[in-house]
Amino acid sequence: MFGSLKLFLQDIKIAHSLFAMPFAIAMMVIVWNGEHAISWLAVLLIIGCLVAARSFAMGMNRVLDATYDSEQQRTANRMIPQGRLSRLAALCWSLAFAALFIVLSANLSRLAFYCSVPLLLILGVYPLTKRYTFLCHWYLGVCLGLTPLAVMVACGMPVNLTAAVLGASVASWVAGFDIIYSLQDEGYDRRKRLFSIPACFGAATAIWCSRLCFLLTIVGFSIVGVISAGGWSYWLGVSICAGILLAEHLMLRYFVRKQALSNMRVNRIFFHANALMSLLFLVFVSLDVLLQA
């Protein structure tokens, strides 16, 4: 039983939970700076909710996309295609994390509990969107962009403009790097008539769409800074984030021109650069709050 859990956690890359988590914690820091008390128990419950929700979503992704995964060299080493984990076991663990998410939400607030099941439905159907629309990248972005808004709900506060703009910024950022990630599957998606920006419009258009998404992300971060009266440290953080996203696309352009865009390099751009950006955003938001305290 627990052996299958280990395989499940390994397959969904539990460490990737840190993509959205810094923005959730940053939202909590901003809320705290507004003199709204947040208990340590609430902080731990919110972090637990983030991990549980993502684990459910990624588990459903593996279950629903198992057939596609088995047909691609890049994904054929995942647990279900290899036969090391059954679809039923993966589904059961996904539902177990969904149940955990509901329980943790219920311990935050009644509203959070009421929102838990609709949120899980939104997350769970994401793998199906690629079958029907090239907007799948932005759908994924919305899934993660809901994080700052969910934090406000969890803290028992009405969703404000800061949370909404930060959520939109996260959504645009996620869509941008998901488009880059989907470059790996352009040929396969086209053959299987799956919808992605590269498959539908080509790699060049996809890269420009990603650039536009990243630009909108920085614009959103800037609006958040204006709304929340961010200090010099916040703006330094936004500048560094902008530099990282620019460097990401400069690396991408270099590899494309050299025709050396391997899966390993896409993963390096996808994971390392974006994980660093989200963590630095949290660091500079926290520093800004401390300096203004």
Side-chain angles (χ1 to χ4, degrees):
M1 176 180 177
F2 291 105
S4 65
L5 174 60
K6 181 180 179 180
L7 292 174
F8 177 80
L9 294 177
Q10 181 181 339
D11 203 35
I12 65 172
K13 293 181 172 57
I14 193 72
H16 286 199
S17 297
L18 57 80
F19 272 124
M21 194 172 295
F23 293 102
I25 299 174
M27 196 67 238
M28 285 188 275
V29 170
I30 293 171
V31 169
W32 172 77
N33 191 41
E35 298 182 355
H36 181 85
I38 305 176
S39 68
W40 282 108
L41 176 59
V43 172
L44 293 175
L45 287 171
I46 291 171
I47 291 174
C49 282
L50 286 170
V51 175
R54 183 197 174 275
S55 299
F56 161 75
M58 287 300 298
M60 293 305 299
N61 180 283
R62 296 294 187 262
V63 171
L64 294 173
D65 279 354
T67 300
Y68 293 125
D69 289 345
S70 65
E71 296 175 347
Q72 298 187 77
Q73 182 178 0
R74 180 179 67 82
T75 55
N77 62 346
R78 289 175 177 171
M79 298 301 169
I80 296 177
Q82 282 187 342
R84 298 178 64 189
L85 184 69
S86 68
R87 283 197 190 195
L88 178 60
L91 178 61
C92 288
W93 285 119
S94 299
L95 295 177
F97 277 105
L100 175 62
F101 175 75
I102 294 171
V103 170
L104 294 175
S105 299
N107 282 276
L108 280 165
S109 69
R110 182 174 297 179
L111 180 58
F113 171 68
Y114 291 154
C115 293
S116 60
V117 173
L119 181 58
L120 288 172
L121 291 174
I122 291 172
L123 299 177
V125 301
Y126 158 69
L128 301 177
T129 59
K130 195 173 182 179
R131 294 156 168 81
Y132 303 105
T133 176
F134 61 82
L135 297 175
C136 54
H137 309 286
W138 287 274
Y139 187 95
L140 177 63
V142 169
C143 288
L144 273 74
L146 288 171
T147 302
L149 286 71
V151 167
M152 299 297 289
V153 172
C155 293
M157 298 181 65
V159 174
N160 58 22
L161 185 59
T162 300
V165 175
L166 181 58
S169 303
V170 172
S172 184
W173 168 65
V174 171
F177 72 64
D178 189 57
I179 291 171
I180 293 175
Y181 192 68
S182 67
L183 288 170
Q184 302 171 98
D185 301 328
E186 178 185 353
Y188 178 83
D189 289 349
R190 191 173 287 125
R191 289 193 302 272
K192 289 295 181 177
R193 297 185 178 180
L194 294 173
F195 293 84
S196 68
I197 295 295
C200 293
F201 304 105
T205 300
I207 291 171
W208 275 107
C209 286
S210 178
R211 290 172 182 170
L212 178 59
C213 287
F214 284 172
L215 176 61
L216 291 175
T217 297
I218 298 304
V219 170
F221 287 168
S222 300
I223 294 173
V224 169
V226 172
I227 295 171
S228 59
W232 66 266
S233 55
Y234 178 86
W235 292 106
L236 176 60
V238 171
S239 300
I240 292 175
C241 288
I244 291 173
L245 295 181
L246 175 61
E248 191 172 331
H249 267 280
L250 289 175
M251 285 191 294
L252 182 62
R253 185 175 68 174
Y254 174 79
F255 291 135
V256 168
R257 286 182 174 178
K258 294 291 185 179
Q259 296 183 337
L261 191 63
S262 65
N263 291 343
M264 181 182 70
R265 283 169 174 157
V266 170
N267 281 322
R268 187 180 303 162
I269 295 171
F270 170 75
F271 182 73
H272 296 294
N274 288 293
L276 176 63
M277 195 213 76
S278 61
L279 287 171
L280 286 177
F281 182 83
L282 171 60
V283 168
F284 281 98
V285 166
S286 302
L287 178 61
D288 185 59
V289 169
L290 289 173
L291 291 176
Q292 295 192 43

